[in-house]
């Protein structure tokens, strides 16, 4: 109870891959606050402030910590002034802190020093930073961030660190022992945490990517760790492992065509899937994902750069399905009907269940079918089985 719980929230996307109406966003934040979330790290894949404003307001209304995150990327349109301006807009929304979210691990040490030094001059709220270790820059970047006055850093316990994760907690703690920025954390206690998670990591080994050290190709492709491991898994399932490098090379080209969007959920999945199609079809944009079309047509917000005109014209020709915004009442009604049809307990009476159903309908239906037919003594094993599905 003395440790604050934090979650990552994708603004109007919440936990899904599309925008949800304000009523769903409001209810989700209310229930998350009620169930124990203290800090909400809120970001938007396009850094579109319009996609963040409502979420930030709802977190503040629940008297919780609203942390606005900048999805860091590198492109001709993402200069230092871009980030300074974005941070000021966040502060104007009365956020409690601002985070630099370097999901690809491409923030260079001296760039971080300059950015944080300048941010400290213009904003008064605390600054957090998370940078992944994928490209081998993270520990040096963390050190320069501290020198520039960063307030908080994200790290990973050593047994879950590096490759697609963060720098090791113990290494960062040790780096600042006997200095004015000493953390006060006990390395011997951290070692016990590390020992515990060694076993946890083994349990989830089948979901790990193949990266053993660092991948400096990230410095040009900007593919975040989670996207990289998912891409490997997809190609493996399609017996197309040998085309991994082709897809990796196609990703920055698609990203440029789509206006230099940052690669983070859901845009990383959109760009990755489109790059996959482009390579496997042996023809660029022979097929357009509906998500790619929606991104081009502005349904995810405003992209930072200019979209390739030929691609834009192509997207406008794709027949659009009528957009359906799932609301709480219709979702509750659907879930109630599902439970009745399958002769299981009515799970729609709990608001958390309805919200889960909105985000992950297929997974949730499977979960309730099994839960409704199992004895309570089987539920621990069931939670574990379904947990794998949801996490994957």
């Amino acid at each position: 109870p003395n440790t604050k719980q934090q979650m990552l929230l994708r603004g109007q996307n919440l936990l899904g891959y599309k925008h949800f109406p304000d009523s769903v966003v409001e209810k989700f934040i209310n229930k998350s606050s009620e169930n124990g979330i203290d800090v909400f790290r809120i970001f938007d894949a396009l850094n579109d402030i319009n996609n963040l404003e409502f979420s930030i307001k709802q977190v503040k209304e629940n008297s919780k910590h609203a942390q606005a995150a900048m999805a860091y990327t590198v492109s001709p349109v993402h200069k230092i002034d871009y980030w300074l301006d974005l941070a000021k807009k966040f502060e104007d929304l009365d956020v409690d802190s601002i985070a630099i979210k370097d999901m690809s691990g491409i923030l260079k040490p001296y760039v971080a020093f300059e950015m944080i030094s300048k941010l400290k001059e213009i904003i008064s709220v605390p600054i957090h930073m998370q940078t992944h270790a994928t490209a081998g820059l993270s520990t040096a970047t963390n050190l320069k961030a501290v020198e520039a006055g960063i307030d908080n850093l994200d790290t990973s316990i050593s047994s879950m660190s590096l490759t697609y994760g963060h720098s090791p907690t113990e290494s960062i703690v040790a780096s600042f022992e006997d200095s004015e920025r000493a953390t006060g954390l006990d390395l011997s206690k951290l070692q016990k945490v590390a020992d515990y998670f060694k076993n946890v990591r083994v349990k989830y080994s089948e979901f790990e990517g193949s990266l053993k050290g660092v991948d400096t190709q990230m410095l040009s492709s900007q593919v975040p760790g989670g996207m990289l491991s998912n891409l490997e898994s997809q190609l493996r399932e399609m017996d197309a492992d040998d085309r991994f490098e082709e897809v990796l090379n196609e990703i920055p080209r698609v990203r440029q065509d789509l206006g230099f969007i940052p690669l983070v959920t859901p845009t990383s999945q959109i760009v990755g899937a489109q790059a996959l199609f482009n390579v496997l079809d042996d023809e660029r944009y022979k097929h357009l994902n509906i998500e790619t079309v929606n991104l081009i047509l502005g349904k995810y917000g405003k992209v930072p750069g200019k979209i390739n005109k030929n691609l834009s014209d192509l997207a406008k020709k794709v027949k659009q399905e009528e957009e359906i915004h799932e609301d709480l009442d219709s979702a509750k009604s659907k879930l109630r009907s599902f439970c009745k049809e399958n002769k299981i307990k009515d799970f729609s009476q709990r608001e958390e269940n309805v919200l889960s159903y909105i985000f992950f309908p297929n997974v949730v239906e499977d979960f309730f079918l099994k839960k409704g037919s199992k004895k309570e003594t089987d539920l621990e094993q069931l939670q574990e089985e379904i947990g794998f599905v949801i996490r994957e």
Side-chain angles (χ1 to χ4, degrees):
N2 298 325
T3 301
K4 290 186 177 181
Q5 301 298 305
Q6 175 178 304
M7 75 168 293
L8 194 60
L9 189 74
R10 299 197 290 268
Q12 292 295 136
N13 286 160
L14 292 175
L15 310 177
Y17 294 91
K18 63 180 181 179
H19 280 9
F20 294 96
D22 287 350
S23 59
V24 174
V25 175
E26 180 180 2
K27 179 62 71 173
F28 179 81
I29 291 174
N30 289 349
K31 298 308 290 186
S32 297
S33 300
E34 181 184 312
N35 282 292
I37 298 297
D38 303 293
V39 180
F40 290 80
R41 178 174 288 178
I42 308 166
F43 80 98
D44 175 65
L46 302 178
N47 288 315
D48 187 340
I49 203 115
N50 295 320
N51 291 335
L52 300 170
E53 194 167 358
F54 186 76
S55 298
I56 291 169
K57 179 183 175 185
Q58 290 306 309
V59 170
K60 297 291 290 185
E61 287 190 2
N62 277 276
S63 300
K64 300 295 184 177
H65 185 112
Q67 182 181 102
M70 303 187 288
Y72 181 76
T73 190
V74 175
S75 84
V77 299
H78 292 93
K79 305 296 186 184
I80 189 75
D81 287 344
Y82 174 94
W83 304 113
L84 300 179
D85 180 61
L86 184 60
K88 280 299 294 179
K89 288 177 180 176
F90 283 161
E91 189 173 44
D92 290 342
L93 293 178
D94 195 31
V95 297
D96 298 295
S97 61
I98 291 172
I100 301 166
K101 178 177 170 56
D102 177 25
M103 56 281 175
S104 301
I106 57 173
L107 179 57
K108 298 173 184 175
Y110 289 97
V111 175
F113 182 86
E114 180 188 10
M115 181 192 297
I116 295 160
S117 297
K118 290 184 175 179
L119 284 172
K120 278 292 183 180
E121 292 174 2
I122 64 169
I123 63 174
S124 58
V125 297
I127 304 172
H128 294 231
M129 187 181 77
Q130 66 106 337
T131 177
H132 285 255
T134 321
L137 296 173
S138 62
T139 300
T141 297
N142 282 327
L143 293 176
K144 293 303 291 184
V146 171
E147 288 181 11
I150 197 83
D151 296 284
N152 293 81
L153 293 174
D154 283 5
T155 60
S156 296
I157 200 69
S158 58
S159 51
M160 299 287 277
S161 68
L162 300 177
T163 61
Y164 308 110
H166 302 308
S167 290
T169 303
E170 300 96 312
S171 302
I172 298 298
V173 169
S175 295
F176 293 101
E177 281 187 333
D178 305 319
S179 78
E180 60 181 16
R181 300 303 299 274
T183 65
L185 295 173
D186 187 333
L187 281 171
S188 64
K189 291 182 179 178
L190 290 173
Q191 187 57 53
K192 293 178 182 178
V193 178
D195 291 341
Y196 171 82
F197 279 102
K198 280 179 184 175
N199 296 322
V200 173
R201 185 164 185 168
V202 170
K203 181 177 178 181
Y204 291 89
S205 59
E206 66 180 287
F207 301 113
E208 285 203 44
S210 62
L211 184 62
K212 301 301 180 188
V214 300
D215 188 348
T216 54
Q217 193 170 12
M218 297 304 98
L219 298 173
S220 56
S221 68
Q222 300 195 30
V223 180
M227 180 183 178
L228 197 64
S229 53
N230 284 341
L231 185 60
E232 285 184 284
S233 177
Q234 284 177 307
L235 286 168
R236 199 178 304 119
E237 289 174 7
M238 300 167 74
D239 286 328
D241 307 53
D242 58 322
R243 309 203 72 175
F244 179 72
E245 292 296 327
E246 288 180 73
V247 177
L248 210 57
N249 291 331
E250 176 65 7
I251 285 170
R253 297 174 66 197
V254 174
R255 175 179 177 256
Q256 180 173 343
D257 289 341
L258 293 174
F260 291 109
I261 55 177
L263 293 180
V264 64
T265 305
T267 54
S268 56
Q269 284 81 359
I270 295 171
V271 171
Q274 188 60 58
L276 196 66
F277 271 120
N278 289 359
V279 168
L280 296 184
D281 287 339
D282 292 317
E283 181 182 338
R284 302 191 78 223
Y285 304 119
K286 180 180 179 180
H287 294 108
L288 281 184
N289 277 343
I290 189 61
E291 290 83 6
T292 303
V293 173
N294 287 338
L295 181 71
I296 293 168
L297 298 181
K299 293 184 180 179
Y300 285 92
K302 188 178 185 301
V303 302
K306 291 184 179 179
I307 293 173
N308 179 289
K309 188 178 185 308
N310 292 334
L311 188 55
S312 181
D313 292 341
L314 194 61
K316 290 172 184 175
K317 295 176 184 177
V318 176
K319 185 179 179 182
Q320 292 292 292
E321 297 178 4
E322 185 180 352
E323 204 165 348
I324 300 172
H325 288 293
E326 185 82 277
D327 59 37
L328 291 159
D329 290 337
S330 65
K332 184 174 183 178
S333 177
K334 282 184 184 178
L335 181 55
R336 185 188 303 117
S337 297
F338 171 80
C339 294
K340 187 175 181 181
E341 288 169 12
N342 289 279
K343 298 179 181 179
I344 58 175
K345 172 185 172 182
D346 183 5
F347 291 103
S348 70
Q349 298 308 305
R350 192 162 183 256
E351 290 180 311
E352 287 85 349
N353 291 343
V354 177
L355 286 165
S356 296
Y357 189 62
I358 289 175
F359 303 137
F360 315 110
N362 295 330
V363 173
V364 166
E365 284 182 0
D366 185 42
F367 177 71
F368 287 145
L369 277 175
K370 290 185 179 181
K371 187 175 181 180
S373 63
K374 294 249 185 177
K375 297 177 181 178
E376 290 299 313
T377 53
D378 297 330
L379 286 183
E380 186 176 340
Q381 175 63 27
L382 177 63
Q383 293 278 2
E384 187 173 311
E385 292 172 6
I386 297 298
F388 276 123
V389 177
I390 292 173
R391 283 187 290 273
E392 177 65 1

